[in-house]
Amino acid sequence: MDVMYIVNPKSGKGSIRGKLLDIIDIFVKADYNLTIYISQHAGDARAKAGKEAGNVDVIICSGGDGTMDEVISGVMDSEKKCAVGYIPSGSTNDFANSLKLPKNVITAAQRIVEHNEFLCDIGEFNDDFFVYIAAFGLFTDVSYETPQDMKNVLGHLAYILEGMKKLAAIKTYHLNARIDGEEISGDFLYGMITNSTSVGGFKNITGKHVKLDDGVFEVTLIRAPQNIVELNTIIGALLTQTPDETYMYQVRAKNIEIDFDSEVSWTLDGEYGGEHQHVKIRNNEKALTLLV
């Protein structure tokens, strides 16, 4: 079996470096014809995966959800879509948690060679892809604005510290959306389209009974609060997963279109997804094989 192994050595605390020989040994013992590639910069893993997807049977990646996003997006860019294996070694690993992948990288590598296939939904976002979340609004820029070294040292606390800096400047967004044909409009401070059981390390925040292969996303839009009391009510509803229809719109949907009054920054799988005034999102059901 021809296998490309893409490694991001900077993800998380860089702990993957001390485990690489053990992981490679597992793959060699599985008779993989293995090629190893160390990603050099942002976007490099996507380019390499897109180039090699048609030449190998499996692409395995080590890194955080951002690295995983790059590799899967690269495979989706390719005409031939090989299977993907993921060894999570990042700061948060939301999607890895959703897939119930082992936190121990050696155990995760052993699971991959068992070759248990899972057909996973993949999100299409305008001309791009995302795996587990597309989001705009409050705190969505925290992940990609937080330096990697800060994430490595502080973990979740890094996101909280960066987010606290922005509390004094909460911005709202006026939008008109069509969600599987249903129209909704108004002022919102946050929105996320997800295929994950956790976001930012918080479990169940996306809804209950989430499935990663059912052909629909979980959509959450949070209306703009009028005061700090309403904001606290919204935060409490999210953390306890008790939706309050006064402030929150939640639904499952396959196709989402959103128009804003001006360009809005988005994050795709925790990385910068560009600024968009019009967004078209579609669920590609069971579009890619993951080894879990």
Side-chain angles (χ1 to χ4, degrees):
M1 182 183 293
D2 293 326
V3 177
M4 167 68 66
Y5 181 27
I6 298 176
V7 181
N8 179 355
K10 295 183 179 180
S11 288
K13 295 180 173 63
S15 57
I16 192 70
R17 300 182 186 188
K19 304 291 186 180
L20 274 179
L21 288 180
D22 292 328
I23 293 171
I24 291 169
D25 186 56
I26 291 170
F27 295 155
V28 170
K29 284 183 169 63
D31 289 329
Y32 285 179
N33 180 21
L34 190 67
T35 302
I36 303 167
Y37 184 79
I38 308 298
S39 65
Q40 302 297 304
H41 51 76
D44 189 33
R46 178 171 185 166
K48 190 65 175 179
K51 181 179 179 181
E52 298 296 336
N55 302 322
V56 298
D57 300 298
V58 178
I59 295 180
I60 301 168
C61 62
S62 289
D65 285 338
T67 303
M68 175 272 307
D69 170 84
E70 282 200 30
V71 168
I72 289 180
S73 295
V75 173
M76 291 296 293
D77 287 335
S78 175
E79 185 174 338
K80 180 187 175 184
K81 296 170 178 53
C82 65
V84 173
Y86 179 30
I87 300 175
S89 58
S91 303
T92 308
N93 304 316
D94 279 318
F95 194 64
N97 292 333
S98 297
L99 289 169
K100 297 181 172 59
L101 298 182
K103 290 181 171 60
N104 182 287
V105 295
I106 301 300
T107 306
Q110 292 169 337
R111 291 283 179 84
I112 286 174
V113 300
E114 293 173 5
H115 209 89
N116 295 313
E117 297 186 352
F118 174 72
L119 285 170
C120 186
D121 298 347
I122 302 295
E124 189 173 332
F125 180 96
N126 287 351
D127 296 325
D128 207 342
F129 299 98
F130 68 97
V131 181
Y132 73 97
I133 184 171
F136 71 89
L138 187 67
F139 296 170
T140 52
D141 54 356
V142 169
S143 179
Y144 56 78
E145 286 187 357
T146 305
Q148 184 64 53
D149 291 342
M150 190 175 180
K151 293 181 188 178
N152 291 347
V153 173
L154 300 176
H156 290 303
L157 183 58
Y159 297 97
I160 296 171
L161 291 175
E162 288 295 306
M164 287 175 63
K165 298 176 184 178
K166 301 175 185 294
L167 276 175
I170 294 176
K171 186 177 180 180
T172 61
Y173 306 84
H174 185 79
L175 63 81
N176 295 286
R178 291 160 299 284
I179 302 174
D180 276 354
E182 180 181 352
E183 295 192 4
I184 179 173
S185 63
D187 295 323
F188 296 83
L189 60 78
Y190 178 75
M192 62 180 178
I193 293 86
T194 57
N195 195 38
S196 176
T197 60
S198 68
V199 172
F202 291 101
K203 293 184 178 180
N204 300 322
I205 200 171
T206 59
K208 299 177 180 178
H209 312 298
V210 174
K211 294 183 178 180
L212 309 185
D213 60 348
D214 58 1
V216 293
F217 295 120
E218 284 65 43
V219 180
T220 301
L221 298 174
I222 301 177
R223 298 185 185 278
Q226 300 302 309
N227 51 57
I228 193 66
V229 174
E230 291 185 2
L231 178 60
N232 287 336
T233 299
I234 291 168
I235 293 171
L238 282 171
L239 294 180
T240 59
Q241 195 41 224
T242 52
D244 188 328
E245 294 183 0
T246 305
Y247 307 110
M248 299 169 61
Y249 173 88
Q250 288 190 303
V251 69
R252 286 185 168 94
K254 182 178 183 63
N255 295 288
I256 301 102
E257 286 192 65
I258 304 176
D259 289 298
F260 298 93
D261 289 348
S262 59
E263 290 192 335
V264 172
S265 295
W266 283 74
T267 177
L268 303 179
D269 295 335
E271 304 297 325
Y272 182 58
E275 295 187 349
H276 308 271
Q277 187 169 357
H278 174 76
V279 168
K280 187 174 183 179
I281 298 170
R282 182 167 69 93
N283 185 300
N284 293 291
E285 186 174 359
K286 298 180 179 179
L288 193 69
T289 299
L290 302 181
L291 301 183
V292 296

